């Protein structure tokens, strides 16, 4: 475990997305294995776990986003104090790899090489983008397109 504590639930101003969040001091983040690049599993109220990353608040400190649905599940809202625990995510990407992407990369060595060369953030972007698509053929097409764009440095 990296950290356990209680924090008040805040909300970012509208121009920054209106996300609900929990603050983390820079000293705490600096103690994490990969500091601000550490992917985390956050557990709220000892019962609801989700994967997350660190975001910079702009004042030297950090925050993790907690969506409204997760807050509702633990009976919390803006201004409430919530108990949370942070652990390092054993998955370096912090997201599950879609089956279609796994199969595609297994079949195309050149595409896999390009994908492997992407930054973790670009890999997550590809995964999140294709996961929203229901049609498998469109998932494959979008994955190839995004990997090629990111590998050329345009994304």
């Amino acid at each position: 475990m990296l950290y356990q504590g209680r924090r008040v639930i805040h909300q970012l101003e509208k121009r920054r997305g209106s996300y609900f969040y929990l603050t983390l001091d820079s000293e705490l983040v600096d103690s994490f294995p990969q500091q601000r690049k550490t992917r985390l599993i956050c557990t709220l109220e000892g019962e609801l776990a989700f994967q997350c990353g660190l975001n910079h608040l702009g004042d030297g400190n950090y925050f993790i986003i907690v969506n409204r649905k997760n807050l509702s599940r633990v009976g919390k809202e803006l201004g409430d104090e919530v108990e949370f625990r942070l652990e390092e995510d054993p998955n370096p990407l912090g997201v599950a790899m879609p089956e279609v992407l796994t199969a595609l990369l297994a079949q195309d060595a050149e595409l896999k090489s390009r994908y492997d060369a992407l930054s973790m953030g670009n890999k997550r972007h590809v995964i999140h983008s294709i996961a929203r698509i229901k049609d498998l053929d469109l998932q494959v097409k979008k994955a190839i397109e995004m990997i090629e764009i990111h590998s050329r440095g345009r994304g």
Side-chain angles (χ1 to χ4, degrees):
M1 177 176 44
L2 294 174
Y3 181 78
Q4 185 168 347
R6 295 185 73 75
R7 292 282 198 280
V8 171
I9 300 162
H10 297 279
Q11 188 173 21
L12 290 172
E13 60 273 11
K14 193 170 192 137
R15 70 178 180 83
R16 290 191 61 197
S18 299
Y19 298 114
F20 294 103
Y21 69 95
L22 303 173
T23 59
L24 300 173
D25 318 342
S26 60
E27 295 82 23
L28 174 62
V29 172
D30 288 344
S31 73
F32 293 167
Q34 293 182 21
Q35 298 170 331
R36 70 179 199 85
K37 293 182 179 180
T38 304
R39 297 295 301 176
L40 303 166
I41 296 176
C42 178
T43 304
L44 300 178
E45 297 295 316
E47 61 189 61
L48 177 71
F50 59 94
Q51 294 172 302
C52 61
L54 296 163
N55 301 282
H56 201 273
L57 262 174
D59 64 358
N61 295 306
Y62 296 85
F63 68 96
I64 56 172
I65 295 172
V66 182
N67 68 33
R68 183 181 307 270
K69 186 175 171 182
N70 285 344
L71 288 177
S72 294
R73 286 182 178 166
V74 295
K76 299 293 181 179
E77 57 187 41
L78 179 64
D80 289 347
E81 192 172 74
V82 65
E83 177 187 322
F84 70 106
R85 182 176 70 240
L86 297 175
E87 298 171 280
E88 186 174 7
D89 190 336
N91 177 350
L93 278 174
V95 294
M97 177 81 88
E99 286 181 44
V100 69
L101 184 57
T102 301
L104 178 64
L105 296 177
Q107 295 172 12
D108 187 330
E110 183 180 333
L111 192 67
K112 181 176 181 349
S113 176
R114 287 181 178 189
Y115 177 81
D116 289 345
L118 297 178
S119 70
M120 294 301 238
N122 282 338
K123 288 178 184 177
R124 278 190 294 276
H125 185 239
V126 170
I127 290 169
H128 284 300
S129 296
I130 67 169
R132 288 184 235 152
I133 301 170
K134 301 293 184 214
D135 182 272
L136 292 179
D137 290 334
L138 287 176
Q139 283 183 332
V140 169
K141 182 179 176 185
K142 184 70 169 180
I144 292 168
E145 176 185 298
M146 292 186 73
I147 292 168
E148 288 178 0
I149 288 170
H150 285 306
S151 68
R152 289 192 300 255
R154 295 186 343 192

